[in-house]
Amino acid sequence: MVLLRSIITVSSFTFLSRIFGFIRDMLVAAYLGAGPIADACFVAFKMPNFFRRLFAEGAFSAAFVPLFSAKLIDEGKSSALLFAGSVISIMTTFLVVFVIIFQIAMPWLMYVFAPGFADDAEKFGLAIDLTRVTFPYLLFISLVSLLGGVLNSMGRFAAVAATPIILNLFLIGALLLATPYLPNAGHAFVWGVFLAGIGEFLWLVYACHR
């Protein structure tokens, strides 16, 4: 019964996430269309997610979750949470430094991630500006991955499964509500990404606290 309940919970939230994701994609197509702004947004969203897969969902998850689970079983909850807290401190420090370095080096990094933009000075500058807004998302989403690993290891699946919905809701809200007050829809999109990272992080902090 526990397995069945977990499957239903995760599946339900995943289904809701797909619905909101479909709405998000329709709004992105309507507001951004196809052009330099959409291209710059694509790069701005791609760059932090590239490193997210590298740091948060690759080797890190493969190493952290088994170690945390082993401590939880062998040494108890207090020891496991102390271990998770130490990892969070180290990871946060490293990622803050990493993000700052990338923010400073963004004009040069854009030649690596979007070399074709160099021929269009306006698009190149826009991509740099937008990516500087989204790149701190890497910090928050990496911590979200860590907190999600903690919750999953303790058999708490609902909050983690619901987390992707937050990104979709923030992007939908940003495009609908913030676009009229910003230079263009691209700025609304990237600020939606940035705020979604904070929202996802606070959501899982609350779930862990509970």
Side-chain angles (χ1 to χ4, degrees):
M1 285 300 294
V2 175
L3 177 61
L4 180 60
R5 185 168 65 248
S6 299
I7 291 173
I8 292 173
T9 299
V10 173
S11 298
S12 298
F13 281 118
T14 301
F15 179 68
L16 282 175
S17 177
R18 295 294 184 267
I19 292 175
F20 285 115
F22 180 66
I23 297 172
R24 177 203 68 192
D25 289 343
M26 288 195 300
L27 290 173
V28 167
Y31 278 82
L32 298 181
I37 295 176
D39 292 342
C41 284
F42 173 75
V43 172
F45 193 56
K46 179 184 74 172
M47 193 178 294
N49 277 291
F50 171 80
F51 289 101
R52 167 191 178 179
R53 288 189 291 271
L54 186 65
F55 290 128
E57 297 171 356
F60 170 76
S61 291
F64 172 75
V65 173
L67 287 173
F68 179 82
S69 298
K71 281 188 172 291
L72 189 63
I73 294 170
D74 298 337
E75 301 177 23
K77 182 179 177 181
S78 297
S79 177
L81 293 179
L82 184 63
F83 168 70
S86 299
V87 174
I88 279 185
S89 299
I90 295 169
M91 189 176 188
T92 301
T93 302
F94 171 78
L95 284 172
V96 167
V97 174
F98 185 83
V99 167
I100 290 172
I101 291 173
F102 265 59
Q103 295 283 49
I104 296 170
M106 195 63 69
W108 295 277
L109 292 169
M110 199 56 63
Y111 285 106
V112 177
F113 284 89
F117 287 13
D119 296 332
D120 187 333
E122 184 176 353
K123 185 196 291 189
F124 190 77
L126 180 63
I128 292 171
D129 292 340
L130 297 186
T131 306
R132 278 178 166 158
V133 176
T134 61
F135 203 73
Y137 177 73
L138 170 65
L139 168 63
F140 296 109
I141 203 61
S142 297
L143 294 176
V144 163
S145 180
L146 187 150
L147 296 175
V150 169
L151 289 168
N152 284 337
S153 297
M154 299 180 71
R156 306 291 182 175
F157 304 105
V160 181
T163 302
I165 297 174
I166 296 174
L167 172 64
N168 292 326
L169 290 176
F170 268 89
L171 289 178
I172 290 169
L175 289 171
L176 289 175
L177 302 176
T179 299
Y181 304 100
L182 294 172
N184 55 57
H187 285 84
F189 178 85
V190 296
W191 279 109
V193 172
F194 174 78
L195 293 174
I198 298 176
E200 289 174 309
F201 173 67
L202 293 177
W203 165 247
L204 286 194
V205 166
Y206 170 71
C208 285
H209 176 69
R210 288 187 63 193

